Amino acid sequence: MSILIKLSTTLRDMVPGYEPETGLSVSLKDGESSITAGELASRIGIPLEEIKIVMINSRQSELASVVADGDRVAYFPAVGGG
Amino acid sequence: MFRFLRVNMATKSCVFEDIPEEYAGLGGRALTSTIVAREVNPICTPLGPHNKLVFAPGLLGATNSPNSNRISVGCKSPLTEGIKESNSGGQPGGHLAKLGILAIIVEDMATEGEWWQLEISKDSAKLVPSTVAGLNNFDAVAKLVEQYGKDCSYVTIGRAGEFKLTAASIAFTDRELRPQRHAGRGGVGAVMGSKGLKAIIINPEGGKNHPLVDEEGFKAASKRFAKALTSHPITGKGLAEYGTAVLVNILHEAGGLPTRNFTCGQFEHHEAVSGERMNKLTKERGGEGAVAHGCMSGCIIRCSGIFPDEKGKFKSKWPEYETLWCFGPHSNIDDLDLICTFDHMCDDIGVDTIDVGVAVGVAMAGGGIPLGDGKAVMEAMKGISEGTPLGRIIGCGTATTGRVFGVRRVPCVKGQSLPAYDPRAVKGVGVTYATTPMGADHTAGYAVTANILSCGGKVDPLKKDGQIELSRNLQIATASVDSVGLCLFTAFAILDIPDALAAIVDMLNAKFGWKLTGDDVVTLGQRILSTEIDFNRRAGITEAADHLPDFFTDEPVAPHNTTFDFTPEELQTTFNWIKK
């Protein structure tokens, strides 16, 4: 099991080799059962101040929200349109 | 020096008028809606002689304020049968403001089959027989530029407007004289066509900006507003880099990207039609493509981009998110180049990309066009310009198309199609769709901000709590922004940076010598909405029309499996300041 990470716009440039179609799979460390969305972002090298929106399994979440094995986590910087 | 220009298409008279007292202090949407409400009989036939077509720049038009040259177009809509304000960028708004023309009011109709064009310059306005009848927007403007020159700006309708199709738009030229900024919604192009008015040519030469009562004060406030826009990450950077198309991936992720005519909230090929891909292809192909392009003078947000073809030649402006969505996921198409071609065809023929793109997906649902068949869509789109039966059907928009093909799920409110956010997964914008006097319209109260974008606070998109209040406040603020002439995207900064609104109020006070406060902006927004709702009531559109089609309340949508669960009584509390 692992966590699937999806990145948007400028955040993609911060993770070398990021593939937009497949996203990035990250496994938890041995003995780790969960992690916060913020800790996970730091682990892949994204500065927290760059993140404005976090979604876990398509639900609006926070950097402090807990992510478990098998979850899908998406990070976005400040974006808007309409 | 401010004046109205009243144009009668039957008598061909063009008269500059002093502005009546009751219109003092109004601009943009406040002015078009007030004029329509006072001068147009609400029960008139929209494509008949008693309707009027009003063009009005905003209060800050042709000033040094950033992003303030938008133009409002008002009339009774042939699509919704209610009041309409449709809003566009491009150069004509600023040019009219520079000439001191606060509104053009077009009345009556020319003899059927006759086409006229309106020439406007500093001290004169006259109707002459049109030299571009029968042409679509790009050819029409190219020919007009040969005739009138590059310093003018142009307002035109394409063949869809000539055919009076109810999704026809009005085109406004951008800074490069491309007719690709549109008053798209509500069939305003059909009203222009019904009057026999093919084009307006605006020569700004010799026009002077309105003298500012407090020049230094204006300059200081304008600087503060510019600072707010450039320092906010959305208006300062995000929109320029990715356009509004940035929303494809985020709405997919949030489960609010309506797919295959609102049967699912996610599209498996979202990445292929995303803003990220558009940005990448634009940069890779280079040539005439451009990232960060402004559609009007004074724009510092620059969201409008230019998409090049494989050889680097101009293909289209960057399609808006809504256009990518309706010709893409909604119609089960994942070919970005093809969608850009459809976008350009809409601009050229002169139709609303939303109502026609949604009509395409609805036709697919009813078997009128094979699902996901890009070639068949291309033929249907050409048919709008050729006047084929299928072309005329989709050119009349989603509601007509749904009826013709016997479709169960027709995503419209008051006859106007829903834009690109599923109201079951983004409930705040669903409240706006249901209640705005304009018919389904995301821009009327863009609750996607707090629901999805964490802008202007946070409201859970899947819950009902707080959505009505959110939609109400945004609808009020939007009505004011539309009256000032500001691009609606300035709202991202206004919602997050308190000094932005203060700076706008200070600019208005410095320009006109007023003593407005922030509260007056709220009062103005409420007044505009009250005026528009009153027009609709007199036109026979009651509160009973303020609801979504019942498939949104019947059918849960994946991935969240939620429905739109507001009762009509709850929705009717949106405009709580209006006495029943």
Side-chain angles (χ1 to χ4, degrees):
Chain A
M1 290 285 277
S2 56
I3 296 161
L4 176 63
I5 298 175
K6 297 289 274 186
L7 302 174
S8 157
T9 64
T10 48
L11 301 185
R12 293 179 175 182
D13 304 331
M14 296 173 187
V15 179
Y18 177 81
E19 283 293 333
E21 296 281 351
T22 52
L24 180 70
S25 281
V26 172
S27 296
L28 290 176
K29 291 175 182 168
D30 285 345
E32 225 175 25
S33 60
S34 66
I35 184 172
T36 68
E39 287 164 350
L40 183 64
S42 299
R43 197 169 285 182
I44 61 168
I46 298 180
L48 298 188
E49 62 272 18
E50 297 290 333
I51 299 170
K52 175 83 174 176
I53 303 158
V54 181
M55 288 188 222
I56 302 176
N57 301 327
S58 295
R59 293 298 313 267
Q60 299 278 333
S61 305
E62 311 284 339
L63 286 170
S65 303
V66 173
V67 181
D69 224 10
D71 281 346
R72 173 187 174 109
V73 186
Y75 299 102
F76 300 86
V79 290
Chain B
M1 67 174 270
F2 283 145
R3 55 218 166 132
F4 285 172
L5 171 59
R6 196 174 288 271
V7 176
N8 187 299
M9 295 303 300
T11 64
K12 312 295 177 292
S13 79
C14 302
V15 182
F16 287 105
E17 294 177 349
D18 290 338
I19 294 176
E21 185 65 30
E22 62 262 35
Y23 296 122
L26 301 178
R29 175 174 167 186
L31 191 53
T32 62
S33 287
T34 306
I35 292 172
V36 171
R38 280 173 189 261
E39 296 197 8
V40 174
N41 183 348
I43 59 168
C44 76
T45 302
L47 300 181
H50 305 296
N51 199 3
K52 298 188 185 187
L53 184 66
V54 185
F55 297 84
L59 292 169
L60 291 178
T63 66
N64 290 329
S65 163
N67 290 80
S68 60
N69 285 326
R70 303 273 305 180
I71 189 164
S72 291
V73 181
C75 59
K76 176 174 175 176
S77 163
L79 190 72
T80 68
E81 298 272 334
I83 199 164
K84 175 55 61 182
E85 186 264 357
S86 189
N87 192 289
S88 178
Q91 295 298 74
H95 284 180
L96 282 180
K98 202 169 177 189
L99 293 173
I101 298 172
L102 232 57
I104 306 172
I105 305 166
V106 183
E107 306 178 334
D108 217 324
M109 296 163 80
T111 303
E112 188 144 13
E114 284 183 4
W115 292 102
W116 296 80
Q117 58 201 36
L118 174 63
E119 301 172 348
I120 302 174
S121 58
K122 187 169 161 271
D123 295 313
S124 78
K126 67 175 176 184
L127 281 165
V128 299
S130 181
T131 52
V132 294
L135 298 180
N136 279 324
N137 286 316
F138 277 74
D139 284 345
V141 167
K143 199 167 170 190
L144 290 170
V145 171
E146 276 178 26
Q147 196 179 342
Y148 294 97
K150 291 184 172 177
D151 295 328
C152 297
S153 60
Y154 300 89
V155 182
T156 53
I157 53 170
R159 287 174 63 81
E162 292 188 18
F163 292 149
K164 292 168 274 201
L165 305 181
T166 50
S169 63
I170 297 176
F172 297 82
T173 48
D174 64 10
R175 291 177 307 152
E176 291 83 22
L177 294 164
R178 288 169 172 151
Q180 55 190 13
R181 310 317 305 181
H182 287 244
R185 307 232 67 190
V188 291
V191 176
M192 188 156 153
S194 74
K195 309 235 163 272
L197 183 61
K198 174 70 181 174
I200 304 173
I201 301 101
I202 305 159
N203 182 353
E205 198 186 337
K208 280 188 188 148
N209 294 356
H210 183 266
L212 303 168
V213 171
D214 173 6
E215 207 159 317
E216 285 308 306
F218 191 95
K219 220 164 140 186
S222 165
K223 221 169 159 181
R224 279 161 49 214
F225 187 51
K227 191 182 165 205
L229 292 179
T230 51
S231 65
H232 192 280
I234 297 177
T235 48
K237 185 163 178 260
L239 278 165
E241 281 290 308
Y242 300 98
T244 59
V246 74
L247 293 173
V248 171
N249 281 342
I250 191 162
L251 265 301
H252 166 83
E253 199 59 44
L257 180 68
T259 297
R260 292 178 284 277
N261 196 28
F262 291 83
T263 54
C264 177
Q266 293 187 311
F267 182 54
E268 54 280 18
H269 307 297
H270 61 99
E271 194 61 44
V273 296
S274 64
E276 285 90 337
R277 180 136 191 279
M278 205 163 72
N279 167 292
K280 189 164 171 266
L281 281 181
T282 302
K283 285 178 176 165
E284 278 172 10
R285 292 177 177 180
E288 292 170 8
V291 173
H293 173 271
C295 81
M296 60 186 183
S297 294
C299 171
I300 58 177
I301 296 175
R302 300 171 303 150
C303 72
S304 64
I306 300 294
F307 192 75
D309 68 12
E310 285 172 348
K311 292 178 180 156
K313 288 275 172 213
F314 168 86
K315 188 177 184 75
S316 172
K317 69 178 191 296
W318 273 4
E320 303 292 345
Y321 163 61
E322 284 71 23
T323 311
L324 282 163
W325 158 73
C326 54
F327 285 103
H330 171 68
S331 301
N332 205 39
I333 289 173
D334 63 0
D335 182 337
L336 184 59
D337 278 276
L338 193 57
I339 296 170
C340 288
T341 299
F342 296 149
D343 180 67
H344 185 63
M345 290 173 89
C346 288
D347 285 348
D348 194 29
I349 300 164
V351 285
D352 177 19
T353 59
I354 301 178
D355 234 292
V356 169
V358 177
V360 163
V362 165
M364 288 173 177
I369 297 174
L371 180 67
D373 187 338
K375 275 190 189 155
V377 177
M378 180 74 86
E379 286 311 305
M381 293 291 292
K382 283 183 194 160
I384 304 177
S385 178
E386 292 159 2
T388 64
L390 180 59
R392 284 176 187 262
I393 291 165
I394 62 170
C396 278
T398 304
T400 295
T401 303
R403 273 193 202 105
V404 171
F405 291 104
V407 177
R408 153 74 175 115
R409 299 182 191 89
V410 183
C412 290
V413 178
K414 303 181 181 83
Q416 183 166 288
S417 66
L418 263 64
Y421 313 85
D422 196 302
R424 292 162 291 191
V426 193
K427 290 189 181 181
V429 84
V431 174
T432 299
Y433 293 159
T435 59
T436 165
M438 295 297 148
D441 180 351
H442 60 301
T443 67
Y446 192 63
V448 180
T449 46
N451 276 189
I452 303 290
L453 305 172
S454 297
C455 180
K458 281 188 183 196
V459 175
D460 189 329
L462 302 180
K463 295 194 175 138
K464 289 165 71 176
D465 308 336
Q467 305 290 12
I468 286 179
E469 190 186 4
L470 175 66
S471 173
R472 174 192 304 135
N473 291 339
L474 288 168
Q475 289 196 57
I476 292 167
T478 302
S480 292
V481 167
D482 287 343
S483 304
V484 177
L486 288 170
C487 170
L488 188 55
F489 294 158
T490 61
F492 291 113
I494 297 169
L495 285 167
D496 282 336
I497 302 173
D499 190 50
L501 178 61
I504 296 168
V505 171
D506 289 348
M507 282 192 287
L508 288 169
N509 289 340
K511 176 171 175 180
F512 296 102
W514 295 339
K515 292 189 171 64
L516 296 181
T517 66
D519 290 344
D520 294 318
V521 176
V522 175
T523 310
L524 172 67
Q526 288 181 334
R527 212 168 85 201
I528 297 163
L529 286 163
S530 299
T531 300
E532 292 169 345
I533 290 165
D534 178 62
F535 181 93
N536 282 0
R537 296 287 178 270
R538 290 186 286 129
I541 301 172
T542 67
E543 274 184 329
D546 288 354
H547 65 88
L548 299 186
D550 59 13
F551 77 89
F552 289 113
T553 51
D554 288 349
E555 300 177 356
V557 69
H560 298 297
N561 298 314
T562 43
T563 58
F564 188 75
D565 47 359
F566 286 92
T567 64
E569 292 73 27
E570 287 169 333
L571 292 168
Q572 286 169 16
T573 63
T574 305
F575 306 111
N576 61 355
W577 69 90
I578 297 178
K579 291 201 179 88
K580 295 187 181 173

